[in-house]
Amino acid sequence: MTDEVWIINASPLILLGKLGHIDFLEKLARQVIVPQAVFREIAAGATGDVAMEVALGWAATRVQDDILVPPSISAWDLGSGESQVLSHCLACGHRAVLDDGEARAAAKVHSVPLVGSLGVILRARKAGLIPAARPLVEQLIESGSYLAADLVRLALHKVGE
């Protein structure tokens, strides 16, 4: 576990729920925060989807109120969840957990440290939480994540697979 606090967006939370590994989050970070806007997004889509319901239940105890979005984040015209994740990170210096390409670009411009669903899986592998990352990465792709083949090869190589 790191001493980091992670602010998570809906997509990584839902994807880790689909993989049955939301537990990675609490095993890899000291604390995980779910902005209210992210919680609302998950709740809106949770109608009958088991993974969404699991994510919603897990997130419910980690919700924090939304904060004012700075103009430098508003200018990116991101979704409310992504904007809140980045705003919280800027306000407190925490790590963003994001998959969305535009949100990741905004995080980089604002020097916000970040990790995505793939990175969470790789960290879980390095921490010994799973014996291999490849099966989960394949499930991540099957669950709808777009990951370039070169990125997957490089990522798996970094964990010895």
Side-chain angles (χ1 to χ4, degrees), residues 121-123 125-127 130-135 137 151-161:
I121 292 169
L122 297 177
R123 286 173 182 232
R125 171 70 169 95
K126 287 181 181 178
I130 50 174
R134 183 179 305 276
V137 172
L151 174 64
V152 170
R153 271 194 300 283
L154 177 63
L156 291 174
H157 178 74
K158 285 185 176 184
V159 294
E161 295 182 39

PDB file of all heavy atoms in Angstrom, residues 121-123 125-127 130-135 137 151-161:
ATOM      1  N   ILE A 121      -4.128  -2.335 -12.193  1.00  0.00           N
ATOM      2  CA  ILE A 121      -3.849  -3.765 -12.333  1.00  0.00           C
ATOM      3  C   ILE A 121      -2.348  -4.033 -12.251  1.00  0.00           C
ATOM      4  O   ILE A 121      -1.909  -4.971 -11.572  1.00  0.00           O
ATOM      5  CB  ILE A 121      -4.450  -4.309 -13.648  1.00  0.00           C
ATOM      6  CG1 ILE A 121      -5.981  -4.278 -13.568  1.00  0.00           C
ATOM      7  CG2 ILE A 121      -3.939  -5.718 -13.949  1.00  0.00           C
ATOM      8  CD1 ILE A 121      -6.684  -4.549 -14.884  1.00  0.00           C
ATOM      9  N   LEU A 122      -1.552  -3.213 -12.907  1.00  0.00           N
ATOM     10  CA  LEU A 122      -0.099  -3.393 -12.863  1.00  0.00           C
ATOM     11  C   LEU A 122       0.439  -3.197 -11.446  1.00  0.00           C
ATOM     12  O   LEU A 122       1.316  -3.951 -10.997  1.00  0.00           O
ATOM     13  CB  LEU A 122       0.590  -2.430 -13.822  1.00  0.00           C
ATOM     14  CG  LEU A 122       0.250  -2.607 -15.302  1.00  0.00           C
ATOM     15  CD1 LEU A 122       0.946  -1.548 -16.128  1.00  0.00           C
ATOM     16  CD2 LEU A 122       0.591  -4.006 -15.791  1.00  0.00           C
ATOM     17  N   ARG A 123      -0.088  -2.221 -10.738  1.00  0.00           N
ATOM     18  CA  ARG A 123       0.331  -2.012  -9.346  1.00  0.00           C
ATOM     19  C   ARG A 123      -0.067  -3.200  -8.472  1.00  0.00           C
ATOM     20  O   ARG A 123       0.670  -3.592  -7.581  1.00  0.00           O
ATOM     21  CB  ARG A 123      -0.275  -0.724  -8.799  1.00  0.00           C
ATOM     22  CG  ARG A 123       0.394   0.522  -9.344  1.00  0.00           C
ATOM     23  CD  ARG A 123      -0.346   1.772  -8.919  1.00  0.00           C
ATOM     24  NE  ARG A 123       0.279   2.938  -9.476  1.00  0.00           N
ATOM     25  CZ  ARG A 123       0.653   3.998  -8.771  1.00  0.00           C
ATOM     26  NH1 ARG A 123       0.427   4.037  -7.474  1.00  0.00           N
ATOM     27  NH2 ARG A 123       1.216   5.020  -9.359  1.00  0.00           N
ATOM     28  N   ARG A 125      -0.300  -6.261  -9.463  1.00  0.00           N
ATOM     29  CA  ARG A 125       0.662  -7.331  -9.801  1.00  0.00           C
ATOM     30  C   ARG A 125       1.980  -7.114  -9.076  1.00  0.00           C
ATOM     31  O   ARG A 125       2.536  -8.030  -8.472  1.00  0.00           O
ATOM     32  CB  ARG A 125       0.865  -7.363 -11.319  1.00  0.00           C
ATOM     33  CG  ARG A 125       1.977  -8.267 -11.793  1.00  0.00           C
ATOM     34  CD  ARG A 125       1.612  -9.735 -11.607  1.00  0.00           C
ATOM     35  NE  ARG A 125       2.553 -10.597 -12.280  1.00  0.00           N
ATOM     36  CZ  ARG A 125       3.605 -11.160 -11.682  1.00  0.00           C
ATOM     37  NH1 ARG A 125       3.846 -10.942 -10.406  1.00  0.00           N
ATOM     38  NH2 ARG A 125       4.416 -11.937 -12.363  1.00  0.00           N
ATOM     39  N   LYS A 126       2.497  -5.895  -9.119  1.00  0.00           N
ATOM     40  CA  LYS A 126       3.766  -5.578  -8.453  1.00  0.00           C
ATOM     41  C   LYS A 126       3.670  -5.758  -6.941  1.00  0.00           C
ATOM     42  O   LYS A 126       4.640  -6.117  -6.293  1.00  0.00           O
ATOM     43  CB  LYS A 126       4.201  -4.145  -8.782  1.00  0.00           C
ATOM     44  CG  LYS A 126       4.711  -3.980 -10.186  1.00  0.00           C
ATOM     45  CD  LYS A 126       5.140  -2.540 -10.432  1.00  0.00           C
ATOM     46  CE  LYS A 126       5.628  -2.345 -11.847  1.00  0.00           C
ATOM     47  NZ  LYS A 126       5.999  -0.941 -12.109  1.00  0.00           N
ATOM     48  N   ALA A 127       2.486  -5.508  -6.395  1.00  0.00           N
ATOM     49  CA  ALA A 127       2.283  -5.640  -4.941  1.00  0.00           C
ATOM     50  C   ALA A 127       2.025  -7.091  -4.522  1.00  0.00           C
ATOM     51  O   ALA A 127       1.871  -7.377  -3.337  1.00  0.00           O
ATOM     52  CB  ALA A 127       1.115  -4.756  -4.494  1.00  0.00           C
ATOM     53  N   ILE A 130      -1.982 -10.266  -7.149  1.00  0.00           N
ATOM     54  CA  ILE A 130      -2.390 -11.237  -8.169  1.00  0.00           C
ATOM     55  C   ILE A 130      -1.125 -11.897  -8.723  1.00  0.00           C
ATOM     56  O   ILE A 130      -0.063 -11.273  -8.759  1.00  0.00           O
ATOM     57  CB  ILE A 130      -3.187 -10.569  -9.316  1.00  0.00           C
ATOM     58  CG1 ILE A 130      -2.461  -9.326  -9.854  1.00  0.00           C
ATOM     59  CG2 ILE A 130      -4.604 -10.238  -8.878  1.00  0.00           C
ATOM     60  CD1 ILE A 130      -3.100  -8.685 -11.074  1.00  0.00           C
ATOM     61  N   PRO A 131      -1.239 -13.152  -9.160  1.00  0.00           N
ATOM     62  CA  PRO A 131      -0.058 -13.837  -9.693  1.00  0.00           C
ATOM     63  C   PRO A 131       0.325 -13.387 -11.098  1.00  0.00           C
ATOM     64  O   PRO A 131       1.474 -13.508 -11.499  1.00  0.00           O
ATOM     65  CB  PRO A 131      -0.462 -15.316  -9.683  1.00  0.00           C
ATOM     66  CG  PRO A 131      -1.961 -15.299  -9.751  1.00  0.00           C
ATOM     67  CD  PRO A 131      -2.394 -14.044  -9.046  1.00  0.00           C
ATOM     68  N   ALA A 132      -0.652 -12.866 -11.855  1.00  0.00           N
ATOM     69  CA  ALA A 132      -0.397 -12.423 -13.224  1.00  0.00           C
ATOM     70  C   ALA A 132      -1.371 -11.306 -13.578  1.00  0.00           C
ATOM     71  O   ALA A 132      -2.538 -11.337 -13.178  1.00  0.00           O
ATOM     72  CB  ALA A 132      -0.557 -13.584 -14.205  1.00  0.00           C
ATOM     73  N   ALA A 133      -0.875 -10.339 -14.349  1.00  0.00           N
ATOM     74  CA  ALA A 133      -1.717  -9.219 -14.774  1.00  0.00           C
ATOM     75  C   ALA A 133      -2.448  -9.514 -16.076  1.00  0.00           C
ATOM     76  O   ALA A 133      -3.561  -9.022 -16.293  1.00  0.00           O
ATOM     77  CB  ALA A 133      -0.867  -7.959 -14.931  1.00  0.00           C
ATOM     78  N   ARG A 134      -1.841 -10.314 -16.933  1.00  0.00           N
ATOM     79  CA  ARG A 134      -2.379 -10.539 -18.281  1.00  0.00           C
ATOM     80  C   ARG A 134      -3.857 -10.944 -18.292  1.00  0.00           C
ATOM     81  O   ARG A 134      -4.642 -10.365 -19.055  1.00  0.00           O
ATOM     82  CB  ARG A 134      -1.537 -11.551 -19.046  1.00  0.00           C
ATOM     83  CG  ARG A 134      -2.015 -11.761 -20.479  1.00  0.00           C
ATOM     84  CD  ARG A 134      -1.153 -12.753 -21.248  1.00  0.00           C
ATOM     85  NE  ARG A 134       0.257 -12.392 -21.253  1.00  0.00           N
ATOM     86  CZ  ARG A 134       0.825 -11.530 -22.094  1.00  0.00           C
ATOM     87  NH1 ARG A 134       0.075 -10.926 -23.003  1.00  0.00           N
ATOM     88  NH2 ARG A 134       2.106 -11.260 -22.030  1.00  0.00           N
ATOM     89  N   PRO A 135      -4.292 -11.913 -17.482  1.00  0.00           N
ATOM     90  CA  PRO A 135      -5.717 -12.285 -17.543  1.00  0.00           C
ATOM     91  C   PRO A 135      -6.654 -11.120 -17.220  1.00  0.00           C
ATOM     92  O   PRO A 135      -7.694 -10.961 -17.865  1.00  0.00           O
ATOM     93  CB  PRO A 135      -5.844 -13.393 -16.488  1.00  0.00           C
ATOM     94  CG  PRO A 135      -4.473 -13.947 -16.336  1.00  0.00           C
ATOM     95  CD  PRO A 135      -3.550 -12.788 -16.575  1.00  0.00           C
ATOM     96  N   VAL A 137      -5.924  -7.892 -17.606  1.00  0.00           N
ATOM     97  CA  VAL A 137      -5.817  -6.918 -18.697  1.00  0.00           C
ATOM     98  C   VAL A 137      -6.699  -7.366 -19.862  1.00  0.00           C
ATOM     99  O   VAL A 137      -7.405  -6.559 -20.470  1.00  0.00           O
ATOM    100  CB  VAL A 137      -4.348  -6.724 -19.136  1.00  0.00           C
ATOM    101  CG1 VAL A 137      -4.263  -5.872 -20.394  1.00  0.00           C
ATOM    102  CG2 VAL A 137      -3.535  -6.096 -18.006  1.00  0.00           C
ATOM    103  N   LEU A 151       0.738  -0.443 -26.007  1.00  0.00           N
ATOM    104  CA  LEU A 151       0.668  -0.071 -24.596  1.00  0.00           C
ATOM    105  C   LEU A 151       0.545  -1.316 -23.725  1.00  0.00           C
ATOM    106  O   LEU A 151       1.219  -1.439 -22.705  1.00  0.00           O
ATOM    107  CB  LEU A 151      -0.516   0.866 -24.346  1.00  0.00           C
ATOM    108  CG  LEU A 151      -0.796   1.219 -22.888  1.00  0.00           C
ATOM    109  CD1 LEU A 151       0.359   2.006 -22.287  1.00  0.00           C
ATOM    110  CD2 LEU A 151      -2.099   1.989 -22.778  1.00  0.00           C
ATOM    111  N   VAL A 152      -0.303  -2.249 -24.123  1.00  0.00           N
ATOM    112  CA  VAL A 152      -0.487  -3.482 -23.361  1.00  0.00           C
ATOM    113  C   VAL A 152       0.814  -4.272 -23.303  1.00  0.00           C
ATOM    114  O   VAL A 152       1.220  -4.744 -22.242  1.00  0.00           O
ATOM    115  CB  VAL A 152      -1.639  -4.332 -23.958  1.00  0.00           C
ATOM    116  CG1 VAL A 152      -1.688  -5.717 -23.328  1.00  0.00           C
ATOM    117  CG2 VAL A 152      -2.976  -3.601 -23.781  1.00  0.00           C
ATOM    118  N   ARG A 153       1.486  -4.415 -24.454  1.00  0.00           N
ATOM    119  CA  ARG A 153       2.769  -5.147 -24.486  1.00  0.00           C
ATOM    120  C   ARG A 153       3.790  -4.502 -23.544  1.00  0.00           C
ATOM    121  O   ARG A 153       4.447  -5.174 -22.756  1.00  0.00           O
ATOM    122  CB  ARG A 153       3.319  -5.188 -25.901  1.00  0.00           C
ATOM    123  CG  ARG A 153       2.847  -6.376 -26.696  1.00  0.00           C
ATOM    124  CD  ARG A 153       3.674  -6.571 -27.981  1.00  0.00           C
ATOM    125  NE  ARG A 153       3.621  -5.435 -28.887  1.00  0.00           N
ATOM    126  CZ  ARG A 153       2.593  -5.167 -29.684  1.00  0.00           C
ATOM    127  NH1 ARG A 153       1.543  -5.966 -29.709  1.00  0.00           N
ATOM    128  NH2 ARG A 153       2.631  -4.134 -30.489  1.00  0.00           N
ATOM    129  N   LEU A 154       3.921  -3.198 -23.630  1.00  0.00           N
ATOM    130  CA  LEU A 154       4.885  -2.475 -22.789  1.00  0.00           C
ATOM    131  C   LEU A 154       4.516  -2.611 -21.318  1.00  0.00           C
ATOM    132  O   LEU A 154       5.393  -2.868 -20.470  1.00  0.00           O
ATOM    133  CB  LEU A 154       4.931  -0.999 -23.199  1.00  0.00           C
ATOM    134  CG  LEU A 154       5.838  -0.095 -22.377  1.00  0.00           C
ATOM    135  CD1 LEU A 154       7.297  -0.536 -22.515  1.00  0.00           C
ATOM    136  CD2 LEU A 154       5.675   1.350 -22.812  1.00  0.00           C
ATOM    137  N   ALA A 155       3.255  -2.456 -21.004  1.00  0.00           N
ATOM    138  CA  ALA A 155       2.799  -2.537 -19.619  1.00  0.00           C
ATOM    139  C   ALA A 155       3.066  -3.920 -19.032  1.00  0.00           C
ATOM    140  O   ALA A 155       3.585  -4.042 -17.924  1.00  0.00           O
ATOM    141  CB  ALA A 155       1.310  -2.198 -19.534  1.00  0.00           C
ATOM    142  N   LEU A 156       2.722  -4.954 -19.778  1.00  0.00           N
ATOM    143  CA  LEU A 156       2.951  -6.313 -19.284  1.00  0.00           C
ATOM    144  C   LEU A 156       4.437  -6.635 -19.170  1.00  0.00           C
ATOM    145  O   LEU A 156       4.861  -7.334 -18.240  1.00  0.00           O
ATOM    146  CB  LEU A 156       2.227  -7.328 -20.174  1.00  0.00           C
ATOM    147  CG  LEU A 156       0.702  -7.277 -20.084  1.00  0.00           C
ATOM    148  CD1 LEU A 156       0.076  -8.207 -21.111  1.00  0.00           C
ATOM    149  CD2 LEU A 156       0.221  -7.594 -18.684  1.00  0.00           C
ATOM    150  N   HIS A 157       5.210  -6.088 -20.080  1.00  0.00           N
ATOM    151  CA  HIS A 157       6.672  -6.274 -20.010  1.00  0.00           C
ATOM    152  C   HIS A 157       7.231  -5.673 -18.719  1.00  0.00           C
ATOM    153  O   HIS A 157       8.134  -6.250 -18.097  1.00  0.00           O
ATOM    154  CB  HIS A 157       7.342  -5.646 -21.238  1.00  0.00           C
ATOM    155  CG  HIS A 157       8.819  -5.757 -21.226  1.00  0.00           C
ATOM    156  ND1 HIS A 157       9.474  -6.942 -21.469  1.00  0.00           N
ATOM    157  CD2 HIS A 157       9.780  -4.830 -20.963  1.00  0.00           C
ATOM    158  CE1 HIS A 157      10.779  -6.748 -21.366  1.00  0.00           C
ATOM    159  NE2 HIS A 157      10.986  -5.466 -21.051  1.00  0.00           N
ATOM    160  N   LYS A 158       6.670  -4.539 -18.299  1.00  0.00           N
ATOM    161  CA  LYS A 158       7.146  -3.884 -17.086  1.00  0.00           C
ATOM    162  C   LYS A 158       6.924  -4.714 -15.829  1.00  0.00           C
ATOM    163  O   LYS A 158       7.592  -4.519 -14.831  1.00  0.00           O
ATOM    164  CB  LYS A 158       6.480  -2.514 -16.922  1.00  0.00           C
ATOM    165  CG  LYS A 158       7.015  -1.469 -17.851  1.00  0.00           C
ATOM    166  CD  LYS A 158       6.409  -0.118 -17.559  1.00  0.00           C
ATOM    167  CE  LYS A 158       7.025   0.935 -18.444  1.00  0.00           C
ATOM    168  NZ  LYS A 158       6.534   2.287 -18.122  1.00  0.00           N
ATOM    169  N   VAL A 159       5.955  -5.637 -15.886  1.00  0.00           N
ATOM    170  CA  VAL A 159       5.710  -6.507 -14.727  1.00  0.00           C
ATOM    171  C   VAL A 159       6.187  -7.936 -14.992  1.00  0.00           C
ATOM    172  O   VAL A 159       5.796  -8.875 -14.296  1.00  0.00           O
ATOM    173  CB  VAL A 159       4.229  -6.487 -14.283  1.00  0.00           C
ATOM    174  CG1 VAL A 159       3.849  -5.124 -13.747  1.00  0.00           C
ATOM    175  CG2 VAL A 159       3.294  -6.942 -15.386  1.00  0.00           C
ATOM    176  N   GLY A 160       7.031  -8.074 -16.008  1.00  0.00           N
ATOM    177  CA  GLY A 160       7.648  -9.363 -16.279  1.00  0.00           C
ATOM    178  C   GLY A 160       6.758 -10.374 -16.974  1.00  0.00           C
ATOM    179  O   GLY A 160       6.984 -11.584 -16.868  1.00  0.00           O
ATOM    180  N   GLU A 161       5.780  -9.898 -17.712  1.00  0.00           N
ATOM    181  CA  GLU A 161       4.889 -10.827 -18.432  1.00  0.00           C
ATOM    182  C   GLU A 161       4.977 -10.587 -19.926  1.00  0.00           C
ATOM    183  O   GLU A 161       5.265  -9.547 -20.403  1.00  0.00           O
ATOM    184  CB  GLU A 161       3.443 -10.641 -17.967  1.00  0.00           C
ATOM    185  CG  GLU A 161       3.242 -11.019 -16.522  1.00  0.00           C
ATOM    186  CD  GLU A 161       1.788 -10.891 -16.076  1.00  0.00           C
ATOM    187  OE1 GLU A 161       0.893 -11.231 -16.869  1.00  0.00           O
ATOM    188  OE2 GLU A 161       1.576 -10.458 -14.956  1.00  0.00           O
TER     189      GLU A 161
END
